[in-house]
Amino acid sequence: MQSASFPPYVCGGIRGRSARNFAEEHLNKRCVTRIDVSDFFGSITSVMVEKVFRRQLKCSKDVAQLAARLLTRCNGSLSRRRTFLPQGGPASTVIANLVLVPCDRRLQPAAAAIRVSYGRYVDDIAISGDRARKVIPLVVSVLKNSGFQVSRRKLVVMSQQMKQELAGLNLKSRLRPTRSFEKGCIVLMHEARSTDSITEMKRLLARLRGKLAYVRPFGGPFPQRLATNLDSLTEKLQQRMNTHEVVGLPQEGAEPSSGKGGEAPPALSRPARPPRQRRR
């Protein structure tokens, strides 16, 4: 899949392309439309994956069928079994992008013909320009013919008088994280401070590091504040781990330590009760 090529307007899960590249194309536009594919990964079947390997990656039929079986999962009972591409799989995002490339090649020229910008970030499609609304019916039709459905709840048309947001970024005047993105980070920091579990704290800090890497290129006070809090939480985590080592507490999820020679420690026995005195 290293030989796979993507058009420049496709971002998300592609090395060297980020949410910033996706959003910059739609900055300061009169109208921005965001279209979300409903249950995107769950709608990608093994047949679609096999077509990607045969038509786009030029693999043989046997290789394509084997790859489709390895990369997809089955859901449902034997009588109603359905295959799908698991979200979070090591190759899932690349495969998903390739599945939608034929749709992109139909939609982008149609948008360019009426001077409208087109872009896609995995399953989020953005169209911006004075006549962006006119492309919506074509997008819905092309996706439906390809086996996908559009989430009507997430189909948003944003004029300049409204908030314009894409991929967690505010599009007004300059790119910056949205208020909802910042609130989400604050919630994660609060959860990391209040949890008693070292394992949970590690998981939350890993998410916060990913958030920081996402917003740091945009500058401003929030990334600096997030970095300061992350350093403080990392130091707190290290102190808690050191305390566990000094006190000798077992690590979370570890088996209780055994006795000498690998034997289990002896069970604690109750002290013997004194014999009862008979009443005279």
Side-chain angles (χ1 to χ4, degrees), residues 16-263:
R17 304 182 194 179
S18 64
R20 183 171 194 155
N21 303 123
F22 170 63
E24 278 178 338
E25 185 65 27
H26 309 284
L27 188 64
N28 296 322
K29 295 293 181 69
R30 182 174 295 180
C31 179
V32 179
T33 301
R34 185 177 70 237
I35 301 172
D36 181 80
V37 181
S38 179
D39 189 23
F40 179 48
F41 287 90
S43 301
I44 299 175
T45 64
S46 60
V47 175
M48 295 179 181
V49 176
E50 183 180 340
K51 286 181 180 179
V52 163
F53 277 88
R54 293 198 67 184
R55 297 178 181 180
Q56 298 183 51
L57 301 179
K58 309 300 181 184
C59 296
S60 67
K61 182 179 179 180
D62 292 340
V63 171
Q65 289 178 344
L66 177 61
R69 286 199 298 268
L70 292 174
L71 294 171
T72 56
R73 300 288 183 269
C74 292
N75 191 15
S77 61
L78 291 174
S79 59
R80 301 182 62 183
R81 180 167 291 183
R82 184 178 66 89
T83 58
F84 66 97
L85 187 68
Q87 186 171 1
S92 291
T93 304
V94 177
I95 295 296
N97 276 326
L98 288 169
V99 167
L100 278 188
V101 164
C103 299
D104 297 326
R105 289 176 176 158
R106 288 191 59 189
L107 295 172
Q108 194 276 335
I114 58 173
R115 297 182 180 181
V116 168
S117 298
Y118 173 89
R120 180 170 62 80
Y121 192 86
V122 191
D123 61 335
D124 282 340
I125 295 174
I127 307 163
S128 63
D130 295 348
R131 304 171 70 186
R133 293 172 183 263
K134 293 185 176 293
V135 189
I136 296 176
L138 179 61
V139 174
V140 174
S141 175
V142 169
L143 290 173
K144 187 175 181 179
N145 292 336
S146 300
F148 298 100
Q149 296 293 327
V150 171
S151 174
R152 298 285 181 178
R153 182 174 57 86
K154 294 184 179 180
L155 196 161
V156 184
V157 179
M158 300 166 282
S159 65
Q160 280 189 322
Q161 289 73 37
M162 301 169 59
K163 289 193 301 182
Q164 293 182 341
E165 299 176 352
L166 286 176
L169 298 174
N170 194 317
L171 303 178
K172 290 292 185 72
S173 67
R174 68 178 181 86
L175 290 178
R176 63 184 188 278
T178 61
R179 185 61 184 157
S180 59
F181 181 90
E182 294 180 0
K183 286 181 179 179
C185 293
I186 292 171
V187 170
L188 288 177
M189 287 189 287
H190 175 72
E191 291 177 356
R193 286 193 187 95
S194 58
T195 183
D196 294 327
S197 169
I198 291 179
T199 303
E200 178 67 8
M201 193 173 185
K202 287 180 178 179
R203 187 187 69 82
L204 293 169
L205 292 187
R207 290 187 61 187
L208 285 169
R209 292 188 190 98
K211 301 280 187 185
L212 178 60
Y214 182 81
V215 299
R216 182 168 267 164
F218 303 102
F222 180 74
Q224 296 177 1
R225 191 164 68 250
L226 179 57
T228 302
N229 281 275
L230 187 54
D231 290 341
S232 174
L233 287 168
T234 303
E235 184 178 351
K236 180 180 178 181
L237 173 63
Q238 189 60 49
Q239 290 175 353
R240 292 180 62 180
M241 293 174 66
N242 292 340
T243 302
H244 269 66
E245 291 178 2
V246 171
V247 175
L249 295 174
Q251 293 293 328
E252 294 179 13
E255 295 292 333
S257 59
S258 59
K260 294 182 180 180
E263 298 178 358

